Amino acid sequence: MRNKMMLGLMLLAAAATTQAAAQTTIKINGYAGQDPAIVGDLINRFVKPALAKDKINVTYEPLQGDYNQQLTTLLAAGNAGDVFYLPAETLDGFVATGKILPLNGVVATGPYINSLNAAFTRNGKTYAIAKDFNTLAVEYNKAVFDEAKVAYPDNTDTWSSLQTKLTNVKKALGNDYYGICLAPDYARMGQFAFAAGWKPFDSKGKTNLLDPAFVRAFNYFTGLAKNKVGVQPSEISQSWSGGCLGTGKVAAAIEGNWIVGFLKDNAPNLKYGTALIPKDDKTGKRGNFVYTVGWAINSGTKNKAAAVKVLNILTSPQVQQYVLEQGLAIPSRTSLQSNAFLKKTDAGAANSKAVFDGATDGTVRPYYFGVQGPDWIKPINTALAAVLSGQKSSADALKQAQSEMNTFQSR
Amino acid sequence: MFKKNQSTATAYLFLAPFLISTLVFFVYAFGRAIYYSFTDFNLFNVPHLIGLKPYADVLNDVLFRRALANTLIFAVTVTTLQTILSLLMAVALNNKIRGMGFFRSAWYMPSITSSVVITLIFLWLFQRRGVANYVITQFQMYQPFILAFVGILVVAQIAQVLFERSRQLPAGWFDPALAAISALLAIAAIVVLSFTGVLQVREVPAFDFQYFADVWLSIGGVQVLSIPLLVIIIQNTFTTIPTLMLFFLAGLQNIPGSLYEAADIDGATPFEKLMNVTVPMLRPVTFYVITVGLIGTMQMFDQVAVIGDAAPQSTLITLAYYVYINTFKAGTAPVNMAAAGAIILAMIILVMVFIQRKFFPSEASV
């Protein structure tokens, strides 16, 4: 009897093992923070039901801390996920590892916005499919403008007309209020340089920060701080300009669609509107960044077919529609650009619309550091911080930034 | 013979855990680092030997030269400060006073607190709207009060001492009893003056100095020490003094009291006793403290990593941080340069310790 029971148990165990062996597990690496909840939701709602019959299980493992460093370590050790997030700005370093599977002929790139595909393409090979994207827009606090009796920023604004509006707000409301928050960050200033006609890299891959177009944009951005019309977030104990807008003491901020969720949670009663980034008075053009993160496949995956299936579901129209309607991100599929959600009039949807339109209006470039990686922006950010806090003149700061840039680019 | 072998085997058995971890985590790792420093390794490729090129690249790298300068300045300054201050503190705490145990533990607190936490606290202290700038602003605002207090105190003290001396009484300029009375007088005078409106708080703009910015102390146009690094020097000295103080305290307990008695008979002042008895007798401890201090400061990493992007890179970068940022990038990384940098750092530390051994014999030679 006992022997029979043992045999039964062993058979059961054996059956369980074979079942487990047939089950393929696809591991996904991505950001920590809100992403585990969002991607977990997507996996449960869309991926698991679609793949249940294929015996494919999907898990999400967020990487804490610096995502790029963590992913590098995992890739080098051979422990990275089968599918993972790949930021466009650090694409080159990862492509050079040979660990990113080129998706040409594996996944159809046709349905996605061209500029997003371009951000993930090197030498004709596309390495990731854009998960979603963001651009910058001007978010403004309606109550502050109403109280100052100044017209809201709008899509016809130029650099100078926006500056006038912000200055008038400061004049009307005095010491406790500010026109705009200015983070000393290339990611919030570079779009003005694009509008003025500056290219981050010339044909030899060098960066010229003394280009008149860059200088003009740099001076416009730092000039907004004059007479305390603009402040750095740190001066009012905030860590970013979204936080500034949330205090209700700052009239405007330049941010992307990520500000919507933040304001919903942290300043639910704040009435805000969104306008496109103002046009350069001289060129009559707008400039903008497109920030994007893509889904990439590990070239060392043992389950390529399954990984491709997972990637296709995560970028499917249904998933993107869901993400858009939850107000989480802007979809990368061209077909969703006329989605009803974007025609809604609430503040969040209006912001999504402006961020969406920003991607195709004027000179739009990917947020990208070049082949040498993230240290590229450091000289620019140092110069911005030095001028915004009044330590250096713009000319001195830019001269130093250029010399640091030359050193960096000759390494 | 058999017995001897057996005891050797036993000894190795007891040493095994340490030996194995040393072999794996030190000897093997060090060997790998030396190998990588002569190759083109980038974390993902198969390494090929390319000779001394990584060393040439590192030495030509401006960032490396800045890191080297920062590290040397940091190591020398902090080691000097912490050795002198911890010795003085140990001497002060070596007295037999009631409640000395409390003071010893209180002084030791900074050393057992995580350096990451202390760095964060220092970041808050020295940020633009931090405590440091606040205290300076307050000082400027209350400057009339402070100056008046000091002035009245000095005048009252001089008057009292002269009065005492006129009565043929021996009174020193810094007599504590008279100073206490002078201080009370000064406080009373300040209270009166502020109530009558003679003294008023000054209106000053908030002191707005950015400590974590690209600001340097220069000598002859050469950037020597950055303000962010100065903040870390203060912090590091503050946190390491207590540990080193313990070593000195232990050393002080071993100095025979008869030496001090002899010095007393010779009429030595406290300062002479410190310089001629305590310091020479503590020489072996000092050697240890300086060696540990130099090695620790040459490898300083955590404070810089915590501050990270809050300050411009060149103001803070140290050799250990240079090694780190060249190893962990987005994707491929110049690990060969990082390895070469690490080897150079190890060589510098080795040379420093040798020089120090030469000029600072570890045996007490009294």
Side-chain angles (χ1 to χ4, degrees):
Chain A
M1 182 64 192
R2 177 178 268 184
N3 278 347
K4 269 192 184 165
M5 261 181 76
M6 283 299 282
L7 188 71
L9 275 174
M10 277 168 71
L11 277 175
L12 260 176
T17 341
T18 43
Q19 205 171 15
Q23 180 103 9
T24 312
T25 298
I26 294 294
K27 188 169 86 175
I28 302 176
N29 285 138
Y31 296 156
Q34 300 178 336
D35 288 48
I38 297 168
V39 182
D41 188 31
L42 294 180
I43 290 172
N44 288 331
R45 267 172 201 275
F46 299 98
V47 184
K48 282 192 173 161
L51 294 178
K53 62 179 189 314
D54 295 333
K55 297 244 166 30
I56 298 174
N57 188 30
V58 182
T59 59
Y60 183 78
E61 286 185 13
L63 304 185
Q64 304 288 346
D66 186 325
Y67 181 79
N68 288 316
Q69 282 182 7
Q70 298 289 332
L71 184 63
T72 304
T73 317
L74 290 179
L75 281 173
N79 294 331
D82 304 280
V83 176
F84 43 75
Y85 286 17
L86 189 58
E89 64 267 23
T90 51
L91 179 71
D92 293 84
F94 286 109
V95 167
T97 67
K99 300 277 182 187
I100 313 291
L101 185 77
L103 299 177
N104 304 49
V106 180
V107 177
T109 54
Y112 305 96
I113 299 172
N114 273 333
S115 62
L116 297 179
N117 283 334
F120 291 108
T121 305
R122 296 289 182 274
N123 297 326
K125 287 182 182 164
T126 304
Y127 290 92
I129 298 295
K131 185 168 81 74
D132 47 40
F133 75 98
N134 248 300
T135 65
L136 295 174
V138 178
E139 288 85 10
Y140 56 89
N141 184 336
K142 290 184 173 172
V144 172
F145 278 93
D146 289 343
E147 194 173 335
K149 300 197 170 60
V150 175
Y152 296 151
D154 58 45
N155 293 350
T156 61
D157 270 329
T158 61
W159 289 6
S160 57
S161 69
L162 180 69
Q163 184 165 20
T164 311
K165 284 178 182 176
L166 298 175
T167 311
N168 288 340
V169 168
K170 177 74 183 174
K171 266 188 202 150
L173 300 181
N175 276 342
D176 292 342
Y177 287 83
Y178 300 96
I180 191 166
C181 247
L182 304 164
D185 190 352
Y186 168 70
R188 299 290 174 276
M189 172 266 154
Q191 77 281 5
F192 292 121
F194 299 161
W198 176 72
K199 287 195 183 90
F201 301 94
D202 67 10
S203 55
K204 289 180 192 129
K206 299 287 180 213
T207 301
N208 183 6
L209 303 179
L210 301 175
D211 181 324
F214 186 84
V215 175
R216 204 156 57 79
F218 186 92
N219 288 340
Y220 170 68
F221 186 78
T222 51
L224 287 173
K226 233 177 268 164
N227 302 322
K228 290 271 165 202
V229 171
V231 282
Q232 292 186 65
S234 60
E235 290 177 77
I236 55 171
S237 305
Q238 296 295 323
S239 57
W240 65 302
S241 39
C244 293
L245 197 66
T247 63
K249 303 276 182 196
V250 176
I254 295 174
E255 289 294 341
N257 198 47
W258 50 78
I259 202 173
V260 173
F262 173 82
L263 291 177
K264 197 159 76 182
D265 293 342
N266 294 283
N269 298 322
L270 191 125
K271 301 270 178 291
Y272 66 96
T274 310
L276 294 174
I277 295 287
K279 291 177 183 167
D280 179 1
D281 303 74
K282 205 168 156 191
T283 63
K285 270 189 164 185
R286 297 180 211 284
N288 219 325
F289 281 111
V290 8
Y291 307 90
T292 181
V293 173
W295 289 109
I297 296 179
N298 188 339
S299 66
T301 176
K302 292 190 185 72
N303 304 302
K304 188 176 143 190
V308 171
K309 274 185 193 166
V310 170
L311 186 143
N312 277 327
I313 296 169
L314 286 170
T315 52
S316 64
Q318 297 86 323
V319 168
Q320 292 213 335
Q321 171 101 22
Y322 177 75
V323 168
L324 173 66
E325 284 172 3
Q326 296 290 309
L328 296 172
I330 316 276
S332 54
R333 280 180 175 263
T334 4
S335 60
L336 284 162
Q337 303 191 358
S338 48
N339 191 278
F341 177 81
L342 293 172
K343 297 195 175 72
K344 284 201 208 163
T345 50
D346 68 277
N351 188 278
S352 300
K353 176 86 168 69
V355 166
F356 201 88
D357 291 345
T360 47
D361 194 336
T363 313
V364 182
R365 296 180 192 278
Y367 181 58
Y368 167 61
F369 306 135
V371 289
Q372 282 179 285
D375 285 350
W376 178 80
I377 59 169
K378 285 190 174 158
I380 306 176
N381 291 355
T382 305
L384 284 169
V387 177
L388 283 176
S389 57
Q391 292 169 38
K392 282 201 180 111
S393 72
S394 149
D396 285 352
L398 282 175
K399 217 169 94 186
Q400 191 186 340
Q402 183 62 47
S403 96
E404 282 170 20
M405 184 62 84
N406 291 344
T407 314
F408 173 72
Q409 295 196 321
S410 61
R411 283 177 77 188
Chain B
M1 194 64 195
F2 175 75
K3 239 188 170 165
K4 195 179 174 196
N5 269 346
Q6 200 182 27
S7 64
T8 320
T10 316
Y12 277 121
L13 203 64
F14 276 111
L15 282 172
F18 175 73
L19 284 179
I20 291 171
S21 63
T22 309
L23 278 176
V24 172
F25 294 107
F26 182 75
V27 179
Y28 173 72
F30 193 63
R32 280 282 282 243
I34 293 176
Y35 170 60
Y36 286 150
S37 71
F38 292 106
T39 66
D40 60 354
F41 188 53
N42 71 5
L43 273 186
F44 292 92
N45 60 350
V46 180
H48 297 287
L49 286 171
I50 54 167
L52 288 169
K53 190 174 177 294
Y55 287 90
D57 288 348
V58 161
L59 293 174
N60 278 327
D61 186 351
V62 180
L63 206 56
F64 175 81
R65 293 203 290 253
R66 188 70 253 170
L68 183 61
N70 280 351
T71 305
L72 290 176
I73 286 163
F74 179 80
V76 170
T77 319
V78 172
T79 309
T80 314
L81 282 178
Q82 72 190 10
T83 308
I84 294 174
L85 293 176
S86 58
L87 174 64
L88 293 181
M89 203 186 242
V91 171
L93 287 187
N94 196 32
N95 291 315
K96 290 188 177 62
I97 311 177
R98 187 189 291 271
M100 190 46 87
F102 167 76
F103 285 110
R104 284 182 187 169
S105 353
W107 251 262
Y108 198 63
M109 285 307 284
S111 266
I112 52 172
T113 314
S114 148
S115 80
V116 172
V117 173
I118 295 208
T119 310
L120 284 176
I121 293 174
F122 266 68
L123 259 175
W124 288 324
L125 289 182
F126 287 98
Q127 65 187 4
R128 271 183 94 177
R129 295 283 177 271
V131 175
N133 279 350
Y134 175 77
V135 168
I136 294 173
T137 309
Q138 294 297 312
F139 177 78
Q140 290 175 336
M141 282 167 67
Y142 288 95
Q143 217 173 25
F145 290 82
I146 296 163
L147 289 180
F149 176 80
V150 173
I152 296 170
L153 180 90
V154 170
V155 170
Q157 181 78 0
I158 292 175
Q160 285 194 82
V161 171
L162 290 179
F163 175 69
E164 293 291 322
R165 286 189 179 175
S166 71
R167 295 197 302 162
Q168 305 296 319
L169 292 170
W173 289 109
F174 299 103
D175 190 287
L178 297 182
I181 295 172
S182 307
L184 286 175
L185 277 174
I187 290 171
I190 296 289
V191 170
V192 172
L193 285 176
S194 69
F195 269 111
T196 52
V198 178
L199 284 176
Q200 273 174 349
V201 178
R202 288 205 309 165
E203 286 277 339
V204 289
F207 190 76
D208 190 14
F209 186 78
Q210 275 189 290
Y211 296 89
F212 296 103
D214 197 15
V215 191
W216 293 79
L217 304 174
S218 304
I219 298 175
V222 181
Q223 295 181 330
V224 178
L225 175 64
S226 70
I227 301 297
L229 195 63
L230 185 64
V231 170
I232 297 192
I233 286 179
I234 296 172
Q235 182 208 331
N236 205 293
T237 313
F238 169 71
T239 51
T240 45
I241 283 179
T243 314
L244 303 178
M245 174 196 79
L246 276 196
F247 297 133
F248 278 126
L249 260 180
L252 283 175
Q253 317 278 325
N254 288 333
I255 301 179
S258 55
L259 290 176
Y260 290 107
E261 285 164 18
D264 280 335
I265 291 168
D266 289 344
T269 64
F271 181 73
E272 283 169 338
K273 279 194 279 186
L274 176 71
M275 294 312 289
N276 296 322
V277 180
T278 313
V279 170
M281 288 302 289
L282 283 178
R283 196 168 273 185
V285 182
T286 314
F287 173 78
Y288 178 73
V289 164
I290 291 180
T291 310
V292 169
L294 273 180
I295 294 174
T297 49
M298 289 295 291
Q299 294 177 340
M300 194 271 286
F301 169 79
D302 43 359
Q303 286 99 331
V304 178
V306 172
I307 292 177
D309 284 341
Q313 197 173 46
S314 65
T315 60
L316 274 187
I317 188 164
T318 59
L319 286 180
Y321 195 64
Y322 177 87
V323 172
Y324 171 79
I325 57 172
N326 272 325
T327 311
F328 298 100
K329 285 184 179 284
T332 52
V335 175
N336 53 350
M337 282 172 73
I343 303 294
I344 294 176
L345 172 62
M347 289 302 143
I348 294 174
I349 294 178
L350 214 61
V351 169
M352 277 182 138
V353 175
F354 270 125
I355 293 177
Q356 195 203 339
R357 268 194 92 86
K358 196 137 184 88
F359 291 100
F360 215 124
S362 62
E363 292 306 314
S365 51
V366 185

